[in-house]
Coordinates of all heavy atoms in Angstrom, one line a residue:
Chain S
S91 N 18.4 -0.6 -4.3 CA 17.9 -1.5 -5.3 C 18.2 -1.0 -6.7 O 17.2 -0.7 -7.5 CB 16.4 -1.7 -5.1 OG 16.0 -2.3 -4.0
P92 N 19.4 -0.9 -7.1 CA 19.7 -0.5 -8.5 C 19.2 -1.5 -9.5 O 19.1 -2.7 -9.1 CB 21.2 -0.3 -8.5 CG 21.7 -1.3 -7.5 CD 20.6 -1.3 -6.4
M93 N 18.7 -1.1 -10.6 CA 18.2 -2.1 -11.6 C 19.4 -3.0 -12.0 O 20.4 -2.5 -12.4 CB 17.6 -1.4 -12.8 CG 16.3 -0.7 -12.5 SD 14.9 -1.7 -12.1 CE 13.9 -0.5 -11.3
P94 N 19.2 -4.3 -12.0 CA 20.3 -5.2 -12.4 C 20.5 -5.3 -13.9 O 19.7 -4.9 -14.7 CB 19.8 -6.5 -11.8 CG 18.3 -6.4 -11.8 CD 18.0 -5.0 -11.6
D95 N 21.7 -5.7 -14.2 CA 22.0 -5.9 -15.7 C 22.9 -7.2 -15.7 O 24.1 -7.2 -15.8 CB 22.8 -4.7 -16.2 CG 23.0 -4.8 -17.7 OD1 22.5 -5.8 -18.3 OD2 23.7 -3.9 -18.3
T96 N 22.2 -8.3 -15.7 CA 22.9 -9.6 -15.5 C 23.2 -10.3 -16.9 O 23.8 -11.3 -17.0 CB 22.0 -10.6 -14.7 OG1 20.8 -10.9 -15.5 CG2 21.6 -10.1 -13.4
G97 N 22.6 -9.7 -18.0 CA 22.8 -10.3 -19.3 C 21.6 -11.2 -19.8 O 21.6 -11.6 -20.9
S98 N 20.7 -11.4 -18.9 CA 19.5 -12.1 -19.4 C 18.2 -11.6 -18.7 O 18.3 -11.1 -17.5 CB 19.5 -13.7 -19.1 OG 19.2 -13.9 -17.7
L99 N 17.1 -11.6 -19.4 CA 15.8 -11.1 -18.8 C 15.5 -11.8 -17.5 O 15.1 -11.2 -16.5 CB 14.7 -11.3 -19.9 CG 13.3 -10.9 -19.4 CD1 13.3 -9.4 -19.1 CD2 12.3 -11.2 -20.6
A100 N 15.5 -13.2 -17.6 CA 15.1 -13.9 -16.3 C 16.1 -13.6 -15.2 O 15.6 -13.4 -14.1 CB 15.1 -15.4 -16.7
G101 N 17.3 -13.5 -15.5 CA 18.3 -13.1 -14.4 C 18.0 -11.7 -13.9 O 18.1 -11.5 -12.7
D102 N 17.8 -10.8 -14.8 CA 17.5 -9.4 -14.3 C 16.2 -9.4 -13.4 O 16.2 -8.8 -12.4 CB 17.2 -8.5 -15.5 CG 18.6 -8.0 -16.2 OD1 19.6 -8.5 -15.7 OD2 18.5 -7.3 -17.2
L103 N 15.2 -10.1 -13.9 CA 13.9 -10.0 -13.1 C 14.0 -10.8 -11.8 O 13.5 -10.3 -10.8 CB 12.7 -10.7 -13.9 CG 12.3 -9.8 -15.2 CD1 11.3 -10.6 -16.0 CD2 11.7 -8.5 -14.7
R104 N 14.8 -11.9 -11.8 CA 15.0 -12.6 -10.5 C 15.8 -11.7 -9.5 O 15.5 -11.7 -8.3 CB 15.7 -13.9 -10.7 CG 14.9 -15.0 -11.4 CD 15.4 -16.4 -11.0 NE 14.5 -17.3 -11.7 CZ 14.7 -17.8 -12.9 NH1 15.9 -17.6 -13.5 NH2 13.8 -18.6 -13.5
T105 N 16.8 -11.1 -10.1 CA 17.6 -10.3 -9.2 C 16.9 -9.1 -8.7 O 16.9 -8.7 -7.5 CB 18.9 -9.8 -9.9 OG1 19.6 -10.9 -10.4 CG2 19.8 -8.9 -9.1
H106 N 16.1 -8.4 -9.6 CA 15.3 -7.3 -9.2 C 14.2 -7.7 -8.1 O 14.1 -7.0 -7.1 CB 14.6 -6.7 -10.4 CG 13.9 -5.4 -10.1 ND1 14.5 -4.4 -9.4 CD2 12.6 -5.0 -10.3 CE1 13.6 -3.4 -9.2 NE2 12.5 -3.7 -9.8
A107 N 13.6 -8.8 -8.3 CA 12.6 -9.3 -7.3 C 13.3 -9.6 -6.0 O 12.7 -9.2 -4.9 CB 11.9 -10.6 -7.8
A108 N 14.4 -10.1 -6.0 CA 15.1 -10.4 -4.7 C 15.6 -9.1 -4.1 O 15.5 -9.0 -2.8 CB 16.4 -11.3 -5.0
N109 N 16.0 -8.1 -4.9 CA 16.4 -6.8 -4.3 C 15.2 -6.1 -3.7 O 15.3 -5.6 -2.6 CB 17.0 -5.9 -5.4 CG 18.4 -6.3 -5.8 OD1 19.0 -7.1 -5.1 ND2 18.8 -5.8 -6.9
V110 N 14.1 -6.1 -4.4 CA 12.9 -5.5 -3.9 C 12.4 -6.2 -2.6 O 12.0 -5.5 -1.6 CB 11.7 -5.4 -4.9 CG1 10.4 -4.9 -4.3 CG2 12.2 -4.5 -6.1
A111 N 12.4 -7.5 -2.6 CA 12.0 -8.2 -1.4 C 12.9 -7.9 -0.2 O 12.4 -7.8 0.9 CB 12.0 -9.7 -1.7
R112 N 14.2 -7.8 -0.5 CA 15.1 -7.5 0.6 C 14.8 -6.1 1.2 O 14.7 -5.9 2.4 CB 16.5 -7.6 0.1 CG 17.6 -7.6 1.2 CD 19.0 -7.3 0.7 NE 18.9 -6.0 0.0 CZ 19.4 -5.7 -1.2 NH1 19.9 -6.7 -2.0 NH2 19.3 -4.5 -1.8
E113 N 14.6 -5.2 0.2 CA 14.3 -3.8 0.6 C 12.9 -3.7 1.4 O 12.9 -3.1 2.5 CB 14.1 -2.9 -0.7 CG 13.6 -1.6 -0.5 CD 14.6 -0.5 -0.1 OE1 15.8 -0.8 0.0 OE2 14.1 0.6 0.3
V114 N 11.9 -4.3 0.9 CA 10.6 -4.2 1.6 C 10.4 -4.9 2.9 O 9.6 -4.6 3.7 CB 9.3 -4.5 0.7 CG1 9.3 -3.6 -0.5 CG2 9.4 -6.0 0.3
T115 N 11.3 -5.9 3.1 CA 11.2 -6.6 4.4 C 12.2 -6.0 5.4 O 12.3 -6.5 6.5 CB 11.5 -8.1 4.2 OG1 12.7 -8.3 3.5 CG2 10.4 -8.8 3.5
G116 N 12.9 -4.9 5.0 CA 13.9 -4.3 5.9 C 13.1 -3.4 6.9 O 11.9 -3.3 6.9
P117 N 13.9 -2.7 7.7 CA 13.3 -1.9 8.8 C 12.4 -0.8 8.4 O 11.4 -0.5 9.0 CB 14.5 -1.3 9.5 CG 15.7 -1.4 8.6 CD 15.4 -2.6 7.7
D118 N 12.6 -0.1 7.2 CA 11.7 0.8 6.7 C 11.2 0.5 5.3 O 11.1 1.3 4.4 CB 12.3 2.2 6.8 CG 11.2 3.3 6.5 OD1 10.0 3.0 6.8 OD2 11.6 4.4 6.0
G119 N 10.8 -0.8 5.2 CA 10.6 -1.4 3.9 C 9.4 -0.9 3.2 O 9.4 -0.9 1.9
L120 N 8.4 -0.4 3.9 CA 7.2 0.0 3.2 C 7.3 1.5 3.0 O 6.2 2.2 2.8 CB 6.0 -0.4 4.0 CG 5.7 -1.9 3.9 CD1 4.7 -2.4 4.9 CD2 5.3 -2.3 2.5
A121 N 8.5 2.1 3.0 CA 8.6 3.6 2.8 C 8.0 4.0 1.5 O 7.4 5.1 1.5 CB 10.1 3.9 2.9
L122 N 8.2 3.2 0.5 CA 7.6 3.7 -0.8 C 6.1 3.7 -0.8 O 5.5 4.7 -1.2 CB 8.1 2.7 -2.0 CG 7.6 3.1 -3.4 CD1 8.1 4.5 -3.8 CD2 8.0 2.0 -4.4
V123 N 5.5 2.7 -0.1 CA 4.0 2.7 0.0 C 3.6 3.8 0.9 O 2.6 4.6 0.6 CB 3.6 1.3 0.6 CG1 2.1 1.4 0.9 CG2 3.9 0.2 -0.4
R124 N 4.3 4.0 2.0 CA 4.0 5.1 3.0 C 4.0 6.5 2.3 O 3.2 7.3 2.4 CB 4.9 5.1 4.2 CG 4.6 4.0 5.2 CD 5.6 4.1 6.4 NE 5.6 2.8 7.1 CZ 4.6 2.4 7.9 NH1 3.6 3.1 8.1 NH2 4.7 1.2 8.4
L125 N 5.2 6.7 1.6 CA 5.3 8.1 1.0 C 4.3 8.2 -0.1 O 3.7 9.3 -0.3 CB 6.7 8.2 0.4 CG 7.0 9.6 -0.3 CD1 6.7 10.8 0.6 CD2 8.4 9.7 -0.8
T126 N 4.1 7.2 -1.0 CA 3.1 7.3 -2.0 C 1.7 7.6 -1.5 O 1.0 8.5 -2.0 CB 3.1 6.0 -2.8 OG1 4.4 5.7 -3.3 CG2 2.2 6.1 -4.0
L127 N 1.3 7.0 -0.4 CA 0.0 7.3 0.2 C 0.0 8.7 0.7 O -1.0 9.4 0.5 CB -0.2 6.3 1.4 CG -1.0 5.1 1.2 CD1 -1.2 4.3 2.5 CD2 -2.4 5.4 0.7
A128 N 1.0 9.1 1.4 CA 1.0 10.5 2.0 C 0.9 11.5 0.9 O 0.2 12.4 0.9 CB 2.3 10.7 2.8
L129 N 1.7 11.3 -0.2 CA 1.7 12.2 -1.3 C 0.3 12.3 -2.0 O -0.1 13.3 -2.5 CB 2.8 11.9 -2.3 CG 4.2 12.1 -1.9 CD1 5.2 11.6 -2.9 CD2 4.5 13.5 -1.5
S130 N -0.4 11.1 -2.0 CA -1.7 11.0 -2.7 C -2.7 12.0 -2.0 O -3.7 12.4 -2.6 CB -2.3 9.6 -2.6 OG -1.4 8.7 -3.2
G131 N -2.5 12.3 -0.7 CA -3.4 13.1 0.0 C -3.0 14.6 0.0 O -3.6 15.3 0.8
E132 N -2.0 15.0 -0.7 CA -1.5 16.3 -0.6 C -1.6 17.1 -1.9 O -0.7 17.9 -2.3 CB 0.0 16.3 -0.1 CG 0.1 15.8 1.3 CD 1.5 15.7 1.9 OE1 2.4 16.3 1.3 OE2 1.7 15.1 2.9
G133 N -2.7 17.0 -2.6 CA -3.0 17.9 -3.7 C -2.1 17.7 -4.9 O -1.4 16.7 -5.0
Q134 N -2.0 18.7 -5.7 CA -1.3 18.7 -7.0 C 0.2 18.5 -6.8 O 0.8 17.7 -7.5 CB -1.7 19.9 -7.8 CG -1.5 19.7 -9.3 CD -2.2 18.5 -9.8 OE1 -3.4 18.2 -9.4 NE2 -1.5 17.6 -10.5
Q135 N 0.8 19.2 -5.8 CA 2.2 19.0 -5.6 C 2.5 17.6 -5.2 O 3.6 17.1 -5.5 CB 2.7 20.0 -4.5 CG 2.8 21.5 -5.0 CD 3.4 22.4 -4.0 OE1 3.5 22.1 -2.8 NE2 3.8 23.6 -4.4
G136 N 1.7 17.1 -4.4 CA 1.9 15.7 -3.9 C 1.8 14.7 -5.0 O 2.7 13.9 -5.2
L137 N 0.8 14.8 -5.9 CA 0.6 13.9 -7.0 C 1.8 14.0 -8.0 O 2.3 13.0 -8.5 CB -0.7 14.1 -7.7 CG -2.0 13.8 -6.8 CD1 -3.2 14.1 -7.6 CD2 -2.0 12.3 -6.5
Q138 N 2.2 15.3 -8.2 CA 3.3 15.5 -9.1 C 4.6 14.8 -8.6 O 5.3 14.2 -9.3 CB 3.5 17.0 -9.3 CG 4.4 17.3 -10.5 CD 4.6 18.7 -10.7 OE1 3.8 19.6 -10.3 NE2 5.8 19.1 -11.3
A139 N 4.8 15.0 -7.3 CA 6.0 14.4 -6.7 C 6.0 12.9 -6.7 O 6.9 12.2 -7.1 CB 6.2 14.9 -5.2
R140 N 4.8 12.3 -6.5 CA 4.6 10.9 -6.6 C 4.8 10.4 -8.0 O 5.6 9.4 -8.2 CB 3.1 10.5 -6.2 CG 2.8 9.1 -6.3 CD 1.3 8.8 -6.3 NE 0.7 9.2 -7.5 CZ -0.6 9.0 -7.8 NH1 -1.4 8.5 -6.9 NH2 -1.1 9.4 -9.0
D141 N 4.3 11.1 -9.0 CA 4.4 10.7 -10.3 C 5.9 10.7 -10.8 O 6.4 9.9 -11.5 CB 3.5 11.5 -11.3 CG 2.0 11.2 -11.0 OD1 1.8 10.2 -10.4 OD2 1.2 11.9 -11.5
E142 N 6.6 11.8 -10.3 CA 8.0 11.9 -10.8 C 8.9 10.8 -10.1 O 9.7 10.2 -10.8 CB 8.6 13.3 -10.4 CG 8.0 14.3 -11.4 CD 8.4 15.7 -11.0 OE1 9.2 15.9 -10.0 OE2 7.8 16.7 -11.6
L143 N 8.6 10.5 -8.9 CA 9.3 9.4 -8.2 C 9.1 8.1 -8.9 O 10.1 7.4 -9.2 CB 8.8 9.3 -6.8 CG 9.1 8.1 -5.9 CD1 10.6 8.0 -5.7 CD2 8.4 8.2 -4.6
L144 N 7.8 7.8 -9.2 CA 7.5 6.5 -9.9 C 8.0 6.5 -11.3 O 8.5 5.5 -11.8 CB 6.0 6.2 -9.8 CG 5.5 6.0 -8.3 CD1 4.0 6.0 -8.3 CD2 6.1 4.8 -7.7
A145 N 7.9 7.6 -12.0 CA 8.4 7.7 -13.4 C 9.9 7.4 -13.5 O 10.3 6.7 -14.4 CB 8.1 9.1 -14.0
D146 N 10.7 7.9 -12.5 CA 12.1 7.6 -12.5 C 12.4 6.1 -12.4 O 13.1 5.6 -13.2 CB 12.8 8.4 -11.4 CG 14.3 8.3 -11.5 OD1 14.9 7.2 -11.3 OD2 14.9 9.4 -11.8

Side-chain angles (χ1 to χ4, degrees):
Chain S
S91 292
M93 291 292 160
D95 187 5
T96 65
S98 80
L99 175 61
D102 283 357
L103 290 171
R104 285 205 183 97
T105 303
H106 187 48
N109 286 346
V110 170
R112 194 196 58 230
E113 168 82 12
V114 296
T115 53
D118 191 25
L120 290 168
L122 180 61
V123 175
R124 284 183 201 281
L125 178 59
T126 304
L127 261 184
L129 293 175
S130 303
E132 293 183 13
Q134 204 49 47
Q135 283 185 346
L137 292 177
Q138 192 181 335
R140 177 195 74 179
D141 290 348
E142 284 173 10
L143 167 64
L144 297 169
D146 189 292

